[in-house]
């Protein structure tokens, strides 16, 4: 494949080190016009780093690139954009106080006499959002009010807003549901037809089979192989990524239902949580499914005390004791944990080391009379770095320098280290590689087997169907239906997810 | 909230128009009001009312007014910081707009206040300058005459300097702690100290600004005392700084070998003058300074006399005079 | 990779860098003045830093939780004023007056903190308000007069241990305790977490408001402690501590504490204070005039933070890309 004639971008012997750690070793590869090139690899393999070098946000330490036959070494993001190279970031990079429309067109706001033409801006934004299926999102809403999924859509829209010759998508679908993913793929196909080259990074193998033309496997910063997508099976790709065989059928759940661990009655919190009631049993894994904006995250946040309840009651434990949860602190005191969806904003202390991040919710256990024992803190961090397979150079490596998937593992580790009875996972496998995903599934199964009660929010329906005992489907803020394991089917769950959304939305969703 | 947003987005200048409209309405409410009872109205425009010196001055004026309620109406205004020229200009403009017969002003700056004073005079208001003397040359250029009623700071400082010189011999090392660099009375006091130093042949080793502040003066005096082990005296342009000098010399263990001179005769220093920690200070009768100005303003209003400068007394304060 | 190789220099370079900068300043002043290297100089510096240091400790904590406290100078003045009035006007016994002084500081800090957390307001504007309130209250309490109290507070300034003054030892003790709390206790870790990412801190079960409130209260209390020392030396002057908040913030930031929160060290703050004070004393010993002093001080502040930027970049494992 190397050096193929139609190459728009050729990367030759690119190297990158961060301090003493070598992240990319002599990477060679080519991107062709009008083709989708998938880049896969484990967490921390160097995918994002490579993409960022191409997009100009990192500088390489050696090697060279050519773009359309001319030498290419962007000085920064804007330089790369001038040459027609754009990137949709894995970590969201929007301005929370600006509106959706402003974020999308930030680099090219329509102006009249130096004053922003909001009419035109909003019209353009609405058109674009409609094209990727976000008709119900107000374009003058500040981005800070959106959920991660919607924000990811805005990020994608911003990437699509300008013409380009090479578009890099770094895990664009990590928190999208099937519906949004389909619409995104329509856009990708449209761009491909127009001759745009695309580099597509994802951990979702089905998607890669569906959309990519070529796949390159990266392992520990080295290119393992590049193949046409049809010549490899998913198993083969995964095996190349990991460098060994992995078993990836999740342990079948044997639901030994225990007593009620958490009962939620008529929970209301804002417009997106209306009269939600359900029981969660010890040893049970309950999935929460629904479209983006259906209120899944809002529901679990309300249970955790992160948002204020307008009404409703929560009962805990075998005696079904009524508890008042006014803050996350109360929730944690009652043995509830929430692994939030937005690791960067809500889960991590980015400049702090992995060890300190893991320690934060566990300080009472690591201290005596308010004084922290550094030894206990180190031991805890080491243990979770090992069991969670967190790839870091040292326990005190700042969380912000970890790869996306490894950051996610830190957030999970932080809460596993605290022995809670009810664990709520909001998009736990967002950005996690295939191998690690199965480890997380196994870990969840183990927690359930030990009598913990789990709620899992995920936009990946297949994931929920694989790991849950029951799936509750939310639709427009209401609980539309609950399915137990023997009644799981993609079709019925999807139908329930659409059931309460508006008519236009439904027809559109059906089309997608 | 968000419904509003989009409107703002469409009409980004809307808030400015609303604000402008409001301001116009407010401004038109402030029309000129005449004197109701026929007594002359005098506005006393002070510097920082937080400063002890000006506070004393103000209290003197209020006391005077309380005794002579039938003679005039008094309004006292002050600014936040001693150096806030802009605020003082605004104050005077407000006073002109509201109407008054005379303004007695302690200007925050000896030049910057002249234009607005000229404006006041053009409005037929009698303007009297107290405390900080307005710049003569600038007044002449503007073609106006504003009488200064107040003490001669230079003379006062010379008095203190001479008293100190009598205790020292020619060639002795002394230092001056100045006020803020641009203050006219500070400059005058420094000049007075220098006059005395030159006359007695003392050796001025350092002259630094203590910004009128205790802590800053302490820092300077400490450093000077260390650098000049033979230092014999510190002359401070006000008493707050003299307090700083007292502290600095005490921590340096030099209280007994270095004389301290202050200026203003504030209460806290009187105790120190009595027990000899401060050699002397200068009383310019702060409580009377504004009163002199007011009396002179009334005088001019009644007699329509041509304005001329008027000097008020300054006195040396020592352990003997306080007894 | 070799951890131990990387970790030890990390905290050592922090202090070595600061100590190096300090050494450089000492060297420059040592060469440019006659008596800089003398016990007297270091005695004066040791005498001048305690109040600033103690306030800077509080400010370090406040900056670490991503807040700012502009009221420190005024709160110190108010505490000192209460102390002064209690002693000089009402003749209240010393221990009671001291408790009142500390309480006033604590209450001001609590008030700022409560308002900040109750309405989630930016501490910049709340403490700016508190700065005005406390200053106004100071003028009221002292009636804008300096009260002489040194004679009642001699035990504070004159107690020494091993040749070091009590205030200096107290300041060092507070620095060490505050550093210990910051780096070794749960509360300290909570402060860092709140300052780094408030949302994540809340979702991790940290009582964000309580941490905030406590930090502001501590900052206020430390202002009260600083007031004891400041007043003992400079008397209860209503103008004490004006502009001190900026000096304190400068010292803290020179010490490498981030204005954006989450990162800081109390010990480094102590070096920051030393740098500022050595600079002040050194410049005064060279006899530099006010404009020079300000120019040089400004340059040193900027140079210090620029140096800190490079030090941090060197320490980072990775070089962040050009944006
Ligand atoms: N600024 C940095 N400083 C130090 N190490 C870094 C920095 N940025 C990235 N790394 C390291 O480089 C490695 C590769 O990271 P990269 O983000 O490219 O991985 P990735 O393949 O995108 O993984 P993921 O699938 O988890 O997103 C990781 O081990 C990470 O810790
Ligand atoms: Mg990545």
């Amino acid at each position: 494949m190397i050096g193929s004639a139609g190459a728009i971008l050729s990367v030759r012997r690119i190297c990158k080190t961060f301090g003493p750690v070598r992240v990319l070793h002599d990477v060679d590869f080519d991107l062709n016009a009008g083709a989708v090139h998938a880049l896969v690899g484990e967490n921390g393999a160097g995918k994002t780093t490579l993409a960022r070098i191409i997009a100009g946000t990192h500088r390489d330490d050696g090697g060279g690139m050519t773009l359309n036959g001319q030498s290419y070494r962007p000085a920064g993001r804007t330089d790369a954009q001038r040459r027609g190279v754009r990137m949709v970031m894995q970590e969201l990079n929007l301005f929370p106080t600006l509106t959706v429309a402003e974020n999308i067109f930030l680099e090219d706001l329509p102006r009249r006499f130096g004053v922003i033409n909001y009419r035109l801006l909003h019209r353009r934004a609405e058109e674009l959002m409609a094209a990727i299926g976000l008709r119900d999102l107000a374009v003058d809403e500040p981005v800070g009010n959106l959920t991660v999924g919607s924000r990811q859509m805005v990020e994608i829209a911003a990437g699509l807003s300008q013409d380009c010759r090479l578009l890099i998508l770094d895990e664009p679908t990590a928190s999208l549901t099937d519906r949004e993913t389909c619409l995104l793929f329509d856009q990708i196909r449209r761009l491909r037809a127009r001759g745009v080259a695309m580099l597509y990074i994802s951990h979702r193998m089905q998607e890669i089979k569906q959309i990519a033309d070529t796949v390159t496997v990266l392992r520990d910063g080295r290119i393992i192989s590049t193949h046409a997508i049809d010549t490899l099976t998913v198993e083969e790709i995964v095996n190349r990524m990991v460098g060994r065989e992995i078993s990836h059928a999740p342990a079948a759940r044997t639901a030994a239902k225990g007593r009620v661990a958490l009962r939620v009655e008529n929970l209301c919190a804002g417009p997106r949580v209306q009269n939600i009631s359900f029981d969660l049993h010890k040893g049970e894994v309950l999935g929460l499914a629904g479209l983006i904006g259906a209120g899944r995250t809002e529901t679990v946040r309300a249970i955790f005390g992160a948002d204020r309840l307008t009404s409703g009651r929560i009962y805990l434990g075998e005696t079904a004791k009524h508890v008042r949860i006014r803050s996350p602190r109360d929730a944690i005191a009652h043995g509830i944990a929430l692994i939030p969806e937005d690791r960067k904003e809500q889960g991590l202390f980015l400049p702090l080391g992995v060890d300190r991040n893991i320690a934060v919710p566990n300080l009472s256990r690591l201290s005596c009379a308010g004084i922290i024992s550094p030894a206990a803190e180190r031991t805890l961090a080491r243990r979770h770095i090992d069991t969670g397979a967190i790839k870091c150079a040292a326990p005190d490596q700042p969380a912000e320098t970890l790869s996306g998937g490894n950051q996610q593992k830190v957030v999970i580790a932080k809460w596993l280290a605290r022995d809670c009875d009810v664990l709520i996972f909001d998009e736990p496998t967002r950005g996690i590689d295939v191998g690690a995903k199965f480890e997380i599934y196994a870990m969840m199964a183990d927690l359930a087997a030990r009598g913990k009660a789990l709620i899992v929010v995920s936009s990946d329906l297949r994931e929920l169907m694989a790991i849950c005992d029951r799936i509750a489907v939310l639709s427009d803020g209401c609980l539309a239906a609950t399915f137990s394991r023997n009644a799981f089917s993609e079709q019925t769950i999807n139908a329930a997810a659409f059931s309460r959304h508006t008519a236009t939305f439904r027809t559109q969703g059906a089309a997608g | 909230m968000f419904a509003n947003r989009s409107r703002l987005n469409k009409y980004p200048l809307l808030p400015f128009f609303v604000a402008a409209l409001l301001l116009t309405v407010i401004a038109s409410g402030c029309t000129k009001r005449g004197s109701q009872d026929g007594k002359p109205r005098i506005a006393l425009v002070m510097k920082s009312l937080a400063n002890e010196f000006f506070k004393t001055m103000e209290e003197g004026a209020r006391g005077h007014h309380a005794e002579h309620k039938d003679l005039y109406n008094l309004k006292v205004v002050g600014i936040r910081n001693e150096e806030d020229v802009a605020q003082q200009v605004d104050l005077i403009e407000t006073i002109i707009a509201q109407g008054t017969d005379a303004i007695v002003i302690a200007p925050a700056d000896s030049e910057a206040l002249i234009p607005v004073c000229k404006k006041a005079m053009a409005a037929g208001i009698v303007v009297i300058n107290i405390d900080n003397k307005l710049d003569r040359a600038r007044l002449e250029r503007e073609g106006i005459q504003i009488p200064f009623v107040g003490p001669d700071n230079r003379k006062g400082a010379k008095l203190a300097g001479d008293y100190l010189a009598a205790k020292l011999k020619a060639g002795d090392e002394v230092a001056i702690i100045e006020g803020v660099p641009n203050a006219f009375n500070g400059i005058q006091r420094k000049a007075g100290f220098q006059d005395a130093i030159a006359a007695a042949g003392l050796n001025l080793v350092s002259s630094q600004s203590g910004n009128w502040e205790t802590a800053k003066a302490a820092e300077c005096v400490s450093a000077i005392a260390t650098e000049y082990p033979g230092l014999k005296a510190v002359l401070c342009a006000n008493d707050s700084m003299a307090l700083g000098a007292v502290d600095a010399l005490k921590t340096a263990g030099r209280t007994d070998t270095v004389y301290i001179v202050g200026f203003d005769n504030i209460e806290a220093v009187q105790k120190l003058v009595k027990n000899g920690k401060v050699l002397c200070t200068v009383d310019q009768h702060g409580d009377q300074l504004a009163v002199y100005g007011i009396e002179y303003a009334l005088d001019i209003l009644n007699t329509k006399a041509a304005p001329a400068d008027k000097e008020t007394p300054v006195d040396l304060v020592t352990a003997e005079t306080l007894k | 990779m070799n951890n131990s190789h990387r970790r030890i220099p990390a905290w050592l370079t922090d202090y070595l860098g600061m100590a190096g900068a300090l050494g450089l300043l000492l060297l420059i002043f040592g060469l440019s003045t006659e008596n800089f290297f003398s016990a007297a100089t270091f005695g004066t510096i040791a005498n001048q830093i305690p109040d600033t240091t103690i306030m800077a400790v509080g400010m370090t904590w406040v900056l670490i939780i991503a807040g700012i406290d502009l009221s420190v100078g005024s709160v110190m003045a108010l505490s000192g004023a209460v102390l002064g009035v209690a002693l000089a006007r009402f003749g209240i016994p010393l221990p009671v007056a001291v408790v009142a002084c500390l309480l006033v500081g604590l209450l001001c800090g609590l008030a700022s903190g409560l308002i900040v957390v109750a309405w989630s307001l930016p501490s910049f504007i709340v403490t700016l308000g508190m700065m005005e309130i406390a200053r106004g209250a100071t003028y009221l309490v002292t009636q804008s007069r300096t009260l002489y109290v040194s004679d009642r507070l001699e035990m504070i300034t004159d107690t020494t241990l091993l040749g070091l003054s009590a205030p200096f030892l107290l300041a060092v003790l507070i620095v060490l305790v505050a550093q210990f709390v910051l780096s070794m206790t749960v509360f300290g870790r909570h402060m860092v977490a709140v300052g780094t990412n408030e949302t994540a801190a809340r979702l991790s079960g940290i009582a964000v408001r309580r941490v905030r409130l406590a930090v502001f209260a501590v900052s206020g209390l430390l202002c009260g402690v600083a007031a004891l020392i400041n007043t003992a030396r400079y008397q209860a002057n209503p103008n004490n501590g004006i502009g001190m908040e900026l000096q304190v913030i400068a010292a803290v930031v020179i010490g490498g504490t981030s204005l954006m929160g989450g990162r800081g060290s109390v010990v480094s703050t102590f070096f920051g204070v030393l740098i500022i004070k050595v600079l002040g004393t050194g410049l005064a010993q060279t006899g530099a005039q006010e404009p020079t002093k300000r120019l040089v001080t400004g340059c040193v502040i900027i140079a210090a933070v620029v140096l800190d930027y490079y030090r941090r970049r060197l320490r980072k494992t990775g070089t962040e890309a050009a944006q």
Side-chain angles (χ1 to χ4, degrees), chain C residues 206-225:
Chain C
I206 295 174
V208 174
R209 287 153 176 251
R210 228 177 286 171
V211 171
R212 281 244 158 93
L213 182 61
V215 168
F216 277 101
V218 166
S219 173
L221 178 64
L222 289 179
C223 289
V225 176

Side-chain angles (χ1 to χ4, degrees), chain C residues 112-155:
Chain C
S112 298
L114 269 176
I115 295 168
V116 165
V117 301
W119 288 284
S120 317
L121 295 174
S123 53
F124 182 94
I125 197 71
V126 173
T127 56
L128 187 69
M130 179 54 75
M131 166 170 133
E132 294 293 298
I133 293 171
R135 185 62 66 184
T138 308
Y139 292 139
L140 281 182
V141 169
T142 57
Q143 297 171 351
S144 298
R145 288 211 155 70
T146 304
L147 297 155
Y148 188 79
V149 287
S150 271
D151 46 354
R152 300 275 319 262
L153 293 169
E154 265 164 3
M155 60 165 297

Side-chain angles (χ1 to χ4, degrees), chain B residues 195-242:
Chain B
D195 292 345
I197 289 167
L202 303 176
N203 177 14
L204 178 61
V205 292
S206 186
S207 178
Q208 298 187 29
S209 166
N211 262 21
W212 296 137
E213 293 165 25
T214 313
K216 187 78 191 293
E219 183 180 288
C220 291
V221 174
S222 293
I224 294 170
T226 311
E227 191 63 12
Y228 302 99
L231 191 73
K232 284 286 185 302
V234 182
L235 300 97
C236 302
N238 79 354
D239 279 346
S240 290
M241 296 196 292

